[in-house]
Amino acid sequence: MNWAFLQGLLSGVNKYSTAFGRVWLSIVFLFRVMVFVVAAEKVWGDEQKDFSCNTAQPGCHNVCFDYFFPVSHIRLWALQLIFVTCPSLLVVMHVAYREDREKKHREKHGENSGRLYLNTGKKRGGLWWTYVLTLLFKIGVDVTFVYLLYHIYEGYDFPSLIKCTQDPCPNTVDCFISRPTEKKIFTVFMVATSLVCVLLSIFEVIYLVGKRLHECVTGNHHSNRMTNTLSSRSSLMELNAMKHTGKKTPETPAPSYSTAVS
């Protein structure tokens, strides 16, 4: 599988991400995609060919392999990486939609007209909700696939010997997995990196929601201060006007006359 598409996609999302998002992208690239492409696919190889049972009963080998490995680890991880990375495309599409609206607005009203968005890549309004919803979706995908891996294979262990009693096996058959320890190490590693990505996404959601609440509280506090300031100035002006109106002009005293006494 060619993963160049996902690399280009996530590189475009990187400039719209927070610090947590950039760390998440780094982990996905280095510890999930690269390990998956370079090492994991070669470790598993042709699983059914390397799976052997000590019987020559026709069909027994295939039935036992399908019972213990209903879904390939490699294909399950490939689906997980696709589902966990493609939602980031929504963020890029939303930014592109904003840029297109901004361009059409300028063409219609001129270059000197007001802007629809101060910054098309700034996480405000609908873009904020798009970003948060993609984070929640990625958390759900990683948690779901980690649980599916545990539920399907009843844990993350690879025993060296498997006892198979499925039909058409004549009796209890011993089956052997190729390189079980190496596969166990890679499985635990992929699960651990998935859980680290889940924690980073949770921290990013908390950061975005906390920052948004802080901005709302700060904005309301600033608005209340402005309102109180304007109210105080208005009251002071009214008081000065009342003093000016109620002040009496001084009267000129009447001249005094002295009576001459003869």
Side-chain angles (χ1 to χ4, degrees):
M1 181 179 291
N2 187 2
W3 295 93
F5 167 73
L6 292 179
Q7 180 179 1
L9 169 64
L10 296 180
S11 297
V13 179
N14 188 42
K15 58 184 177 181
Y16 307 123
S17 302
T18 63
F20 292 105
R22 294 187 180 95
V23 175
W24 183 89
L25 288 173
S26 301
I27 293 177
V28 169
F29 270 130
L30 298 177
F31 299 104
R32 296 180 71 175
V33 175
M34 293 298 294
V35 170
F36 176 83
V37 174
V38 174
E41 285 185 322
K42 295 181 179 179
V43 169
W44 262 260
D46 190 352
E47 299 176 63
Q48 190 169 2
K49 182 180 178 180
D50 298 333
F51 184 82
S52 60
C53 299
N54 60 351
T55 181
Q57 177 70 26
C60 180
H61 176 274
N62 294 335
V63 169
C64 291
F65 179 82
D66 183 70
Y67 178 78
F68 289 106
F69 300 98
V71 181
S72 171
H73 283 70
I74 293 297
R75 292 174 179 84
L76 199 64
W77 287 332
L79 287 175
Q80 180 181 2
L81 289 174
I82 290 173
F83 279 116
V84 85
T85 53
C86 284
S88 300
L89 180 62
L90 294 176
V91 178
V92 179
M93 292 175 62
H94 200 142
V95 174
Y97 167 74
R98 282 185 164 190
E99 292 176 349
D100 184 64
R101 281 194 65 191
E102 188 69 35
K103 181 180 177 182
K104 290 181 179 179
H105 178 75
R106 290 183 179 181
E107 291 176 353
K108 183 177 180 179
H109 300 283
E111 293 292 335
N112 296 327
S113 61
R115 294 174 59 90
L116 293 176
Y117 307 99
L118 296 177
N119 185 358
T120 55
K122 194 173 183 62
K123 290 180 284 295
R124 290 292 183 273
L127 184 60
W128 186 88
W129 284 105
T130 301
Y131 194 89
V132 171
L133 290 177
T134 56
L135 289 176
L136 296 177
F137 182 81
K138 289 187 288 187
I139 293 172
V141 167
D142 274 333
V143 171
T144 301
F145 275 89
V146 168
Y147 171 75
L148 283 177
L149 194 66
Y150 182 86
H151 179 72
I152 293 174
Y153 298 104
E154 298 180 355
Y156 306 119
D157 192 17
F158 282 82
S160 301
L161 176 64
I162 295 176
K163 300 288 186 178
C164 180
T165 57
Q166 302 297 311
D167 293 332
C169 297
N171 47 32
T172 301
V173 177
D174 295 334
C175 297
F176 304 92
I177 303 173
S178 174
R179 292 179 288 190
T181 304
E182 192 173 9
K183 290 180 178 179
K184 177 182 177 180
I185 292 173
F186 273 100
T187 301
V188 173
F189 179 82
M190 295 296 285
V191 170
T193 53
S194 298
L195 294 178
V196 170
C197 289
V198 169
L199 290 177
L200 287 173
S201 297
I202 292 175
F203 290 154
E204 190 170 9
V205 170
I206 295 174
Y207 168 76
L208 290 172
V209 173
K211 183 179 179 181
R212 188 63 176 168
L213 291 176
H214 176 72
E215 290 176 352
C216 291
V217 172
T218 305
N220 292 335
H221 181 67
H222 181 70
S223 177
N224 291 334
R225 287 183 61 185
M226 291 294 294
T227 303
N228 293 334
T229 303
L230 293 176
S231 178
S232 300
R233 290 181 179 178
S234 177
S235 301
L236 185 60
M237 291 176 64
E238 291 179 359
L239 183 61
N240 291 334
M242 291 176 62
K243 288 182 178 180
H244 181 73
T245 304
K247 186 178 180 180
K248 297 182 179 180
T249 56
E251 298 181 355
T252 305
S256 57
Y257 297 95
S258 58
T259 304
V261 180
S262 56

